[in-house]
Amino acid sequence: MRLLLCFVLMCCMSGLASAQMTAAKKIPPAVEKKVVLNANAQKVWDYLSEPGNYKKFSGVQEFTCEEKALNAKIELTTKAGKKRSQYISVIDYDNFKICYFVTKSDYAGDKQWVYAFEVKSKGSKKCEVTLSIYFGFDELSPEFKEGITKEFDDIVAGLKKKF
């Protein structure tokens, strides 16, 4: 009987503890930009996922990349002169998504952040590229938001020129 009582008490306590847990929230992008390109999604993905092409489509001043795959370490200087250290943290060849984890940046604040490019097919000859910045639940500073938006504008212009 004691064993049964202990079991019931443990079940009640675990139910009480789980009832107090808050639901997980999905982090929304702090900045997001989309562009539809007149090209096949696979072709755009092959171009975007090749780290050596980053300098071509983004217009950065300087760009170095040690490898060409997951965990590739990248150093760059943007058109505006902002320096950044990052690495490829996700590269999903099946779903056409690549994420960069920024470890050091000249933008105000010392928080690390992530940005991602995702390519989705819009038929056989069109695709949509989504560029997103993730910065947790914190607000971006106006300087950061303006700088990233300009970077995304440069990337979109570079992709439109190529495709």
Side-chain angles (χ1 to χ4, degrees):
M1 186 67 174
R2 274 189 186 168
L3 190 57
L4 181 59
L5 185 59
C6 286
F7 177 74
V8 170
L9 185 59
M10 286 175 46
C11 287
C12 290
M13 293 303 290
S14 66
L16 180 64
S18 65
Q20 293 176 355
M21 293 175 60
T22 59
K25 294 180 183 177
K26 184 177 179 183
I27 296 173
V31 175
E32 185 174 79
K33 186 172 270 297
K34 295 181 181 192
V35 60
V36 175
L37 301 173
N38 293 319
N40 168 298
Q42 183 69 55
K43 185 176 181 178
V44 172
W45 169 250
D46 290 345
Y47 184 72
L48 272 178
S49 63
E50 173 59 43
N53 290 331
Y54 194 95
K55 185 173 183 176
K56 296 175 190 175
F57 67 77
S58 69
V60 296
Q61 293 177 16
E62 297 174 19
F63 180 89
T64 59
C65 182
E66 291 181 11
E67 296 179 29
K68 295 185 175 189
L70 190 63
N71 295 319
K73 291 175 181 28
I74 298 167
E75 301 286 331
L76 62 86
T77 304
T78 68
K79 279 184 177 181
K82 299 284 188 187
K83 294 187 183 290
R84 184 157 66 234
S85 299
Q86 61 192 38
Y87 65 90
I88 297 174
S89 58
V90 174
I91 187 160
D92 185 342
Y93 293 100
D94 295 329
N95 295 301
F96 299 161
K97 187 169 187 172
I98 188 167
C99 298
Y100 299 91
F101 186 82
V102 178
T103 57
K104 185 178 176 189
S105 170
D106 282 351
Y107 285 113
D110 59 358
K111 187 172 180 175
Q112 297 171 335
W113 45 282
V114 172
Y115 66 104
F117 302 151
E118 186 171 11
V119 181
K120 291 188 179 179
S121 179
K122 293 286 186 188
S124 63
K125 297 184 182 191
K126 287 190 182 232
C127 67
E128 181 179 71
V129 178
T130 304
L131 300 89
S132 307
I133 290 288
Y134 297 93
F135 198 72
F137 292 105
D138 299 335
E139 285 280 324
L140 292 180
S141 71
E143 178 225 354
F144 191 169
K145 190 169 188 169
E146 181 180 325
I148 288 298
T149 299
K150 177 66 176 126
E151 283 187 40
F152 278 2
D153 290 344
D154 291 342
I155 290 168
V156 166
L159 291 174
K160 282 183 173 179
K161 185 176 180 181
K162 172 70 179 173
F163 298 103

